[in-house]
């Protein structure tokens, strides 16, 4: 594949803000053989005006579940999108490298990583936001068996209970690590009071927690955090989206839909068709909650997380969907807050990213 023109030094800076895709496969799934959807027919409202190739990257897990629904329900063809087999980048950073290199047309990505990549990429090759798919934070802190503050305890007291503890994160400098440091800062606790430990994704983290090697873990998504708690006998100590959590954590909107800047300008119809296909997938989930839970369980959790999958589908339907704007439109308020988070965590410098430069015209609320 074509090597991105972004320098190695820039990619290393980008890696500091990466959020690895939960359960992502090896380097890449097939780059074009086969099909991830029905033949393009263009009958649905919002379809592209003619059959259009469109390459989608994704990963297993609840945050990415809409992609799985699009595939399972053969929804792409109705929007005149010819989608080859999904790409499965091995990490968020690799996904951004492929996006800036023009190897991916659309994907969902971590908002902070998108901002970092935007700030360090060439105009035209930069990722731009074309939709807000997860309009909430999905981060949490899962703790091992033991005596922990009750649900009614304050955010500060819950964070204080982590002093002296070893806390697992996907990687040092990754998104989970940055969220942990931001949470400590918001609680007035020194970073030196805890020991962050890179343990990788949920599956190895469960093994580390079960073995007593970590006391807590920064969960990335709603379902994977609860699956970890269920499989270790632990609990979700802090859901960053809960009441009482500081706004800089609780009001984040963590996953956006993106396209390369030049593609979003020259192929806006294809981008809008992709957004419409995802909107239909959202409607299918709402109308088929049990089937959706089964699909999430079998596709992402190897049939071992039906209860958690049901919890997620209920949460998605009752909490996430009411926050959505039509066709995934993106508000300035949401992006401005995420820019503030990006600046505070060192992902970007003040003034490097603005709502107007980052969000495509047709995606603005």
């Amino acid at each position: 594949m074509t090597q991105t023109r972004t320098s190695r030094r820039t990619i290393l800076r980008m890696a500091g803000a990466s959020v690895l895709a939960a359960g992502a496969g090896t380097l890449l799934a097939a780059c074009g053989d086969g099909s991830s959807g029905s033949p393009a027919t263009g009958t649905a409202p919002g379809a592209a005006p003619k059959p259009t190739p469109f390459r989608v990257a994704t990963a297993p897990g609840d945050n990415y579940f809409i992609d799985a629904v699009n595939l399972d329900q053969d929804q792409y063809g109705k929007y005149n999108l010819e989608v080859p087999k999904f790409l499965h980048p091995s990490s968020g950073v690799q996904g951004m490298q492929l996006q800036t290199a023009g190897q991916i047309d659309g994907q969902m990505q971590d908002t902070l990583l998108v901002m970092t990549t935007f700030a360090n990429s060439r105009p035209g090759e930069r990722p731009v936001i074309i939709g807000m798919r997860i309009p909430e934070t999905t981060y949490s802190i899962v703790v091992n068996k033991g005596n922990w503050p009750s649900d009614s305890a304050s955010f500060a007291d819950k964070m204080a209970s982590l002093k002296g503890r070893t806390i697992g994160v996907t990687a040092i400098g990754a998104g989970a690590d940055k969220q942990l440091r931001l949470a400590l800062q918001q609680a007035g606790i020194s970073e030196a009071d805890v020991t962050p430990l890179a343990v990788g994704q949920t599956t190895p983290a469960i093994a580390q927690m079960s073995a007593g090697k970590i006391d807590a873990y920064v969960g990335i998504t709603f379902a994977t955090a609860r699956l970890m708690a269920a499989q270790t006998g632990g609990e979700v100590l802090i859901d960053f989206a809960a009441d009482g959590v500081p706004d800089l954590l609780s009001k984040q909107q963590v996953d956006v839909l993106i396209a390369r800047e030049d593609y979003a300008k020259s192929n806006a119809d294809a981008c809008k068709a992709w957004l419409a296909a995802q909107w239909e997938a959202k409607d299918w989930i709402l109308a088929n909650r049990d089937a959706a839970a089964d699909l999430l369980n079998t596709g992402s959790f190897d049939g071992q997380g039906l209860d958690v999958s049901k919890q997620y589908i209920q949460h998605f339907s009752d909490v996430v969907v009411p926050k959505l704007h039509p066709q995934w439109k993106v508000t300035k308020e949401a992006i401005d807050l995420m820019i503030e988070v990006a600046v505070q965590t060192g992902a970007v410098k003040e003034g490097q990213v603005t709502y107007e430069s980052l969000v495509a015209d047709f995606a603005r609320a």
Side-chain angles (χ1 to χ4, degrees):
M1 289 185 176
T2 304
Q3 176 65 37
T4 176
R5 282 185 259 174
T6 308
S7 70
R8 291 184 180 273
R9 183 175 299 174
T10 296
I11 294 301
L12 289 175
R13 288 200 301 269
M14 288 159 54
S18 70
V19 175
L20 303 182
T26 54
L27 184 64
L28 283 177
C31 289
D33 295 333
S35 175
S36 287
S38 55
T41 58
T43 60
K50 61 182 180 179
T52 306
F54 195 87
R55 296 161 296 180
V56 176
T58 190
D62 43 314
N63 281 13
Y64 298 87
F65 182 54
I66 279 175
D67 299 324
V69 174
N70 277 150
L71 173 59
D72 184 72
Q73 295 298 305
D74 291 333
Q75 292 168 333
Y76 290 118
K78 292 188 290 183
Y79 294 89
N80 252 344
L81 297 178
E82 297 174 339
V83 179
K85 285 186 177 179
F86 287 155
L87 300 175
H88 292 284
S90 61
S91 70
V93 170
Q94 192 198 44
M96 296 311 309
Q97 289 176 303
L98 292 168
Q99 190 86 51
T100 57
Q103 299 297 316
I104 294 170
D105 297 320
Q107 63 176 314
M108 188 188 76
Q109 267 287 4
D110 173 69
T111 308
L112 296 183
L113 179 55
V114 171
M115 290 180 173
T116 305
T117 309
F118 179 92
N120 290 285
S121 299
R122 301 171 185 266
E125 298 175 359
R126 303 179 295 190
V128 294
I129 296 173
I130 62 173
M132 178 63 72
R133 197 156 91 182
I134 308 293
E136 64 172 2
T137 180
T138 61
Y139 285 96
S140 61
I141 296 179
V142 184
V143 290
N144 208 346
K145 298 174 183 177
N147 295 318
W148 299 96
S150 67
D151 287 343
S152 61
S154 69
F155 169 78
D157 286 344
K158 290 178 179 179
M159 289 299 300
S161 71
L162 297 170
K163 288 184 178 180
R165 307 281 191 166
T166 299
I167 304 174
V169 295
T170 52
I172 301 301
D177 181 47
K178 289 181 179 294
Q179 293 288 339
L180 172 62
R181 296 174 190 276
L182 184 60
L184 291 167
Q185 178 191 95
Q186 292 294 296
I189 297 172
S190 169
E191 293 180 12
D193 286 335
V194 303
T195 302
L197 180 66
V199 296
Q201 295 300 315
T202 306
T203 298
I206 288 173
Q208 292 288 315
M209 185 172 283
S210 297
K213 299 294 181 62
I214 56 175
D215 303 299
Y217 180 73
V218 180
I220 294 174
T221 76
F222 179 96
T224 55
R226 283 153 182 79
L227 184 65
M228 183 176 195
Q231 293 192 359
T232 61
E235 61 183 285
V236 176
L237 177 67
I238 303 172
D239 183 335
F240 284 13
D243 292 340
V245 175
D247 285 354
L248 207 58
L249 294 167
S250 66
K251 294 189 181 302
Q252 290 187 38
Q253 299 191 18
V254 298
D255 283 316
V256 291
L257 299 163
I258 62 170
R260 203 168 97 150
E261 188 173 24
D262 54 0
Y263 188 90
K265 290 180 179 178
S266 62
N267 293 276
D269 286 340
C271 292
K272 293 175 185 178
W274 183 49
L275 295 171
Q278 293 178 85
W279 196 259
E280 181 176 340
K282 178 266 298 178
D283 289 341
W284 182 87
I285 293 170
L286 294 178
N288 301 275
R289 297 190 187 194
D290 289 342
D294 286 338
L295 180 61
L296 176 59
N297 180 40
T298 56
S300 294
F301 304 131
D302 295 325
Q304 304 299 308
L306 183 57
D307 287 344
V308 166
S309 296
K310 288 181 177 179
Q311 289 178 45
Y312 174 73
I313 296 302
Q314 180 176 347
H315 174 79
F316 176 80
S317 302
D318 299 344
V319 178
V320 178
V321 170
K323 297 177 182 178
L324 294 173
H325 290 265
Q327 296 300 319
W328 317 102
K329 296 287 188 179
V330 186
T331 68
K332 186 175 188 301
E333 179 184 20
I335 297 305
D336 284 349
L337 176 68
M338 294 307 297
I339 291 173
E340 183 180 352
V341 173
V343 171
Q344 289 212 20
T345 58
V348 301
K349 296 178 181 178
E350 190 79 41
Q352 279 189 305
V353 180
T354 65
Y355 174 78
E356 290 76 16
S357 62
L358 184 65
V359 180
D361 290 349
F362 62 80
R364 298 174 190 171

